[in-house]
Amino acid sequence: MANKASAVLKAQFGNVDPFDQNTDLVDSLGTAPDANATTKGKVELATDAETITGTDDTRAVTPASLTARTSTATRTGIVELATDAEAKTGTDTARAVTAANLRAVLTGIVTISFDGKNGAGACTAVGAVAGMKVLGVFGITGGALGNAAASFETTVTVNDQIQQSAGGNLSANDYVAILLAVA
């Protein structure tokens, strides 16, 4: 096997002398092209801010910077899944609801019909449990058709009752409450 001349080897190795112990791949990165979708080369790592904006196509995302790109209503990204309890409260805007969470919420929904009363106080609503969230109250008789939630409590405070907060005479009206068991 013939020995190759240094100049020939240097040409084969992209103008880097293979016999020069001080010139290695790290030293040659300064002359390496920038990497892109079609060209191998050097790459710069993206900062958290650059990863969040998601518009820079010249830097590489790392697992650490990827965790900074959280999802919002106006931006794609990593999203944390809600627990059943978080889905039931319905107030968390940072977590996503899964099909299993939705099933847990829907199985906790109860509808109860009851009559209004004359003046503020307790209306009998068999099946209402203290702590249930009142999602809505709707009038189902002629004089009270539609949304009547403003006339009643937002959370059940006494078992088998819904508190009427309106002081008027609602005793001639029938209502349906949609309740959610939160616990």
Side-chain angles (χ1 to χ4, degrees):
M1 175 183 252
N3 288 338
K4 293 186 177 180
S6 179
V8 173
L9 288 172
K10 198 170 179 181
Q12 282 182 316
F13 288 97
N15 219 20
V16 175
D17 186 346
F19 298 114
D20 180 355
Q21 299 301 312
N22 294 321
T23 305
D24 57 16
L25 183 59
V26 174
D27 294 331
S28 66
L29 282 178
T31 60
D34 287 340
N36 61 40
T38 58
T39 304
K40 293 179 184 179
K42 64 183 177 184
V43 66
E44 181 180 349
L45 301 180
T47 65
D48 286 357
E50 291 163 339
T51 302
I52 290 168
T53 60
T55 57
D56 189 335
D57 64 356
T58 63
R59 290 176 178 85
V61 174
T62 66
S65 65
L66 184 59
T67 61
R69 187 171 168 95
T70 55
S71 183
T72 67
T74 58
R75 179 182 68 222
T76 62
I78 294 176
V79 63
E80 183 179 347
L81 300 180
T83 64
D84 287 353
E86 291 164 339
K88 286 178 183 181
T89 63
T91 58
D92 191 333
T93 60
R95 291 173 182 83
V97 174
T98 66
N101 297 142
L102 183 58
R103 181 181 192 114
V105 169
L106 293 177
T107 57
I109 291 179
V110 176
T111 57
I112 296 174
S113 62
F114 64 96
D115 297 325
K117 64 178 284 116
N118 187 2
C123 298
T124 301
V126 177
V129 177
M132 285 182 151
K133 187 174 182 180
V134 179
L135 299 178
V137 178
F138 303 93
I140 57 173
T141 53
L145 288 176
N147 187 351
S151 298
F152 299 93
E153 66 185 343
T154 58
T155 302
V156 175
T157 54
V158 178
N159 287 345
D160 294 324
Q161 295 180 0
I162 291 182
Q163 299 299 316
Q164 179 178 311
S165 55
N169 185 356
L170 305 180
S171 62
N173 302 325
D174 294 326
Y175 297 93
V176 170
I178 300 173
L179 308 175
L180 174 64
V182 199

